[in-house]
Amino acid sequence: MDISIWEFCVLALAAALVGFSKTAVSGANTVSLAVFAAVLPARESTGVLLPILIAGDVLAVLTYRRHAHWPTLWRLFPAVGAGVLVGTVFLMWAGDDGVRTSIGAILLLMAAVTMWRRRIVARQEESSEGRPARWKAPSYGVLGGFTTMVANAGGPVMSLYLISSGFQKLGFLGTSAWFFLIVNTSKVPFSVGLGLIDRDSLLLDAALVLFVVPGAWLGRKCVDRIDQLLFERLVIGATVLGGIQLLVH
């Protein structure tokens, strides 16, 4: 891929942000998504970003592997699988502009729904951790599978799902880490089949993946200093920012 040194530096910073988001503020990597789509052709950018996300997922699992809530994961996977298949079909026909607009609108909608629920529902009435309402897993799962397939943007959707289900920081990060390691790895054959991952993209990944490590280290150092309310606000804020960036790009 023909990119300048300055463009490479911007991509390196975005890769570091992936590491930070995986170990501190999940959903913040929507900014990385927007950066990659701005520097590289939007369609090809998803193939370059996927291995970098997987590297971040591995680091997150190594850090928070003991805090995952597996019943929640098993509840999500069937709907996510359906969403990935729908997203694959969508990618076969949609152009770059259609992908950006669709994902941006979905992210803003999910953020609005989450904030609305938090205003009208007392915390005592929320589902306990790991026991969300029955409609949540199918609806968020399909949306998460769709958005992660077409634009690697499933993080904010799943973040909103886990927050609305009452997860605290460590449970949130552990469950999210395992979820995305499994889902992102399963996307690789689809991305290869669509031509999104090839030799050139993997060569660029080999140069960028090293920057994920310091980002993940910084995130782990910061996460203990972020209180729960600020953590949730940062996640929702990152979701809104990512959605707006995709819509106005």
Side-chain angles (χ1 to χ4, degrees), residues 95-110:
D96 288 345
D97 290 341
V99 170
R100 288 195 190 96
T101 301
S102 299
I103 300 305
I106 287 172
L107 295 183
L108 293 179
L109 174 63
M110 300 313 296

Side-chain angles (χ1 to χ4, degrees), residues 135-239:
W135 64 268
K136 286 185 183 179
S139 58
Y140 277 82
V142 170
L143 283 173
F146 176 81
T147 54
T148 194
M149 186 64 223
V150 302
N152 293 315
V157 177
M158 288 298 102
S159 295
L160 296 177
Y161 171 77
L162 295 176
I163 285 177
S164 68
S165 300
F167 278 83
Q168 300 299 301
K169 277 191 299 185
L170 291 180
F172 177 107
L173 291 167
T175 304
S176 179
W178 277 109
F179 175 85
F180 281 107
L181 178 60
I182 294 169
V183 171
N184 283 334
T185 302
S186 71
K187 286 161 47 184
V188 171
F190 296 98
S191 296
V192 172
L194 289 168
L196 302 177
I197 294 179
D198 56 20
R199 181 179 63 87
D200 289 339
S201 71
L202 290 175
L203 286 175
L204 182 54
D205 285 325
L208 291 174
V209 72
L210 296 177
F211 296 93
V212 178
V213 177
W217 177 84
L218 180 62
R220 184 63 187 92
K221 292 296 183 180
C222 291
V223 70
D224 291 334
R225 302 181 181 182
I226 304 175
D227 64 37
Q228 182 67 23
L229 181 59
L230 177 59
F231 177 81
E232 295 182 7
R233 287 176 176 173
L234 288 172
V235 170
I236 294 173
T239 301

